[in-house]
Amino acid sequence: MTSKASSTAARGRRRATAEVKSGLRELSVHLTLLNRQVGGRLGLKEVDLDCLDLINAHGPLTPTALARQAGLHRATLTGVLDRLERAGWASRDRDPDDRRAVQVRALRDRNAELLGLFAGMNTSVDEICGDYENAELERFADFLHRTAEAGRKAADDLADK
């Protein structure tokens, strides 16, 4: 490859990478706005929804583990859990293996309500995915998982400073 072709390829790569980063920022903004709308409909704060999502994905969790994953102070998490319990989304139960420990678990009774509020986005994503081959979707999924992990690590690094 010539020096000029190499330089052109490098510029193209930088431009494409910048477009990916721009797309991720735009996606982040719009998902935040969607979560704000969903939270408003449910009477929950955005942080409550974030914690509920973590509990659904990784629970049951101890309050300490949830606070760590959510990047929240334990006192702040207490307020979040109080709101989630009052609204019927989560419960704090004694750990069956350690009576002194508490586990936070999601209550699934209202999941249909939550899924209904996200139905428009889920339908749109299904339609978008229909435009791609399985191998492409697998690459997108890998990219998104690796990018999410990079975001988690960056947040952890900032929290440690």
Side-chain angles (χ1 to χ4, degrees):
M1 183 179 287
T2 67
S3 177
K4 184 174 181 171
S6 177
S7 178
T8 300
R11 270 195 310 279
R13 179 128 185 127
R14 283 192 304 274
R15 195 173 308 118
T17 299
E19 283 296 316
V20 167
K21 290 176 182 177
S22 174
L24 288 171
R25 282 190 303 277
E26 185 177 1
L27 175 62
S28 175
V29 167
H30 290 290
L31 290 178
T32 296
L33 295 172
L34 174 61
N35 282 342
R36 189 172 297 144
Q37 291 295 321
V38 169
R41 296 275 177 100
L42 300 173
L44 297 174
K45 296 181 178 188
E46 290 172 63
V47 68
D48 301 345
L49 261 168
D50 291 341
C51 287
L52 182 59
D53 197 30
L54 288 169
I55 297 165
N56 272 316
H58 305 289
L61 297 165
T62 66
T64 301
L66 179 57
R68 191 176 321 113
Q69 284 194 21
L72 298 173
H73 189 276
R74 286 180 18 197
T76 302
L77 183 67
T78 298
V80 170
L81 293 178
D82 288 346
R83 286 189 298 275
L84 289 174
E85 276 189 313
R86 272 194 309 271
W89 291 103
S91 69
R92 288 176 270 205
D93 303 315
R94 292 278 173 217
D95 185 331
D97 299 325
D98 181 356
R99 293 180 315 136
R100 296 168 296 158
V102 172
Q103 295 272 316
V104 179
R105 69 179 179 85
L107 300 175
R108 310 286 181 180
D109 303 355
R110 296 182 67 189
N111 275 0
E113 183 181 355
L114 189 62
L115 291 173
L117 292 171
F118 284 106
M121 179 65 175
N122 285 329
T123 298
S124 293
V125 170
D126 287 342
E127 290 170 1
I128 292 165
C129 287
D131 293 338
Y132 296 94
E133 299 295 324
N134 289 348
E136 292 173 304
L137 292 175
E138 289 170 10
R139 286 184 61 104
F140 296 155
D142 175 64
F143 170 81
L144 291 171
H145 289 295
R146 289 171 60 196
T147 304
E149 179 59 24
R152 185 205 56 77
K153 184 180 180 322
D156 287 350
D157 289 349
L158 284 175
D160 292 340
K161 292 180 181 181

